[in-house]
Amino acid sequence: MQFQGFGRWVGNAEVFDSFGRFLGNGSDYRHVQLMGDGRIRINVSFIGPFKHSGHYFIEQRDRYRLYEGPANIGYAEVLSENLVDANAYWPALGLSQRFFLMIVGDQLQLSLAQMSRGEHLMYVVVGQNDRVPENIPDPQPTLVSGTHYDLSEDPTCGRGEILLHRSGVWRGILTALDQAGQSLGEFEYSQALELRSPQILCMQIAGGAFNDYPHSACFVTNQWQAWATEESAIVGSYSLSGGRALSGQFYYREAHLRCWQREVTTLDGKQKAIIQHWYRGGQRIGSQFGVLEFEQTDELSTQ
C-alpha cells in the first residue's frame, strides 16, 4: 500500500501549547520526492513559534514506513493510501512526535502533531496544507487575523466558536481495520452534538465497526478540555486546540473498550478528519478513520 503524498505541499499551521493556548501560526513547506533507490525524500521547512529546516528519507513497506533521518527518525503505519499515523523523533528539536496526516480530496492535507519532551507535551500543531503544482507560486495561506497576545486566552483562536462543539451532526463513512491491519469494511458513522450551555455538550454516536449501536454521553467543558459526566455511556476526556482539533481517551462502558480518538477540522469547519484506535485493555483490536461532513442543526439527532 503506497501513501499518495508526492509533490509540493504548502500551508499554514496553528501552534498551541499543552493547555491549548495559541502560540502563533507557522509557515509549513514540504516537498515530497520519489528517489531513484525507491526511497522517498522529504524536504521540510517550518517557521513559527519553533522553527526547523531539513530533510529526511522514508523507506516504504507494505503497511508501514521507516523514517530514516537525519531530520526525522521513527515509524509510521500506513493505514490507507491517504493516511499515515506516526511516532517519531526530531533530533534537532529534541522532541518526540505523535502525528497523523490525512489527505482529503486529493489536494488537501489535514494533520495533528503532538510534540513532547519526555512525557511533557510542549506543542500541538494543527495543520492544513494544499498541494501546489510545480509551475505555480505558493498560494496565500488562510489566516485568522490577530496576535498571540490577544488570542492566547481565547479558546476559539479568534473564530468566536468552538468548531468541534457546534450543535449539529457530523456524518460520513469510516474505514475499519482489524488488529492485523486487514480491512473490516466501510461503515456509516455519525456524531450528533447539542451544546446545551457553554459548559455542557451532549452527543449521540452511532455506527462504526466497534460500536454499531447508539451511545449517548454528556461532557462538561471549560472550552479547553472536556470530560464526561458519571451517567454517560461513554466516559473519558479530551483536550482541545483552538476549538478545531481534539485528542482524548474514551471508555465505552457496555463494550468495555477504550478508544484513543483524534480529530481535526478544516479551517472553514465544514469537514473533519477523524482517527480512532480501539483497545481491549492494552491490546489494540482495530482502528477506524475517515472524513465527516458537518450539518448545522438545533436539536440532538442521529438521523
Side-chain angles (χ1 to χ4, degrees):
M1 186 189 306
Q2 300 296 311
F3 179 67
Q4 302 301 311
F6 296 107
R8 289 172 56 217
W9 295 90
V10 176
N12 117 72
E14 295 175 341
V15 185
F16 303 88
D17 68 11
S18 60
F19 294 99
R21 298 190 186 98
F22 180 66
L23 297 176
N25 284 88
S27 298
D28 189 6
Y29 301 90
R30 303 177 202 165
H31 191 191
V32 185
Q33 309 165 75
L34 184 62
M35 308 302 290
D37 60 2
R39 294 189 301 168
I40 297 169
R41 175 175 171 139
I42 297 185
N43 297 332
V44 60
S45 175
F46 187 90
I47 302 172
F50 63 89
K51 59 187 186 298
H52 182 56
S53 179
H55 73 276
Y56 58 96
F57 293 96
I58 294 175
E59 183 179 342
Q60 294 197 99
R61 303 292 176 88
D62 183 34
R63 294 194 173 274
Y64 63 92
R65 312 169 95 191
L66 300 176
Y67 296 165
E68 299 181 329
N72 186 14
I73 301 168
Y75 181 100
E77 293 182 76
V78 180
L79 297 176
S80 80
E81 64 181 9
N82 292 323
L83 173 62
V84 293
D85 188 12
N87 287 272
Y89 180 70
W90 292 76
L93 301 174
L95 296 175
S96 299
Q97 181 189 55
R98 296 184 302 174
F99 175 75
F100 88 83
L101 183 149
M102 185 182 295
I103 297 177
V104 178
D106 189 52
Q107 301 300 318
L108 180 71
Q109 290 179 345
L110 293 176
S111 61
L112 179 63
Q114 297 165 290
M115 308 191 75
S116 304
R117 184 163 292 157
E119 294 298 318
H120 175 62
L121 180 63
M122 297 184 68
Y123 300 104
V124 178
V125 184
V126 184
Q128 178 170 318
N129 286 34
D130 296 301
R131 193 195 297 266
V132 181
E134 295 294 338
N135 59 344
I136 69 170
D138 294 340
Q140 177 108 6
T142 301
L143 295 172
V144 176
S145 296
T147 70
H148 162 258
Y149 180 86
D150 297 311
L151 297 180
S152 64
E153 298 300 322
D154 179 0
T156 75
C157 198
R159 298 183 180 87
E161 62 180 346
I162 304 291
L163 294 179
L164 288 169
H165 283 184
R166 293 169 295 169
S167 294
V169 183
W170 293 94
R171 292 190 182 91
I173 303 295
L174 299 188
T175 300
L177 307 175
D178 66 14
Q179 66 268 34
Q182 300 301 310
S183 176
L184 295 173
E186 295 185 335
F187 299 82
E188 292 184 355
Y189 182 83
S190 66
Q191 300 171 339
L193 280 65
E194 181 183 3
L195 188 61
R196 294 183 177 173
S197 76
Q199 292 78 38
I200 300 294
L201 175 73
C202 292
M203 66 176 66
Q204 294 177 358
I205 298 174
F210 304 98
N211 61 316
D212 57 354
Y213 46 93
H215 291 74
S216 297
C218 284
F219 292 84
V220 178
T221 178
N222 60 9
Q223 316 303 312
W224 307 96
Q225 301 97 23
W227 53 96
T229 57
E230 290 182 2
E231 65 272 15
S232 295
I234 306 167
V235 295
S237 61
Y238 58 89
S239 56
L240 289 157
S241 298
R244 60 176 287 249
L246 70 76
S247 179
Q249 301 274 345
F250 304 92
Y251 185 75
Y252 287 71
R253 297 168 70 168
E254 188 170 340
H256 304 292
L257 295 177
R258 174 172 58 91
C259 176
W260 175 32
Q261 183 163 312
R262 288 165 288 170
E263 301 178 2
V264 174
T265 75
T266 52
L267 287 164
D268 60 14
K270 295 179 179 179
Q271 296 177 295
K272 71 176 177 181
I274 180 171
I275 178 170
Q276 301 174 337
H277 291 313
W278 289 80
Y279 299 85
R280 180 171 288 111
Q283 180 182 9
R284 195 164 95 188
I285 64 169
S287 304
Q288 59 186 15
F289 50 86
V291 178
L292 306 182
E293 306 276 345
F294 183 71
E295 178 185 347
Q296 192 100 31
T297 62
D298 295 325
E299 297 181 356
L300 192 63
S301 171
T302 56
Q303 298 302 312

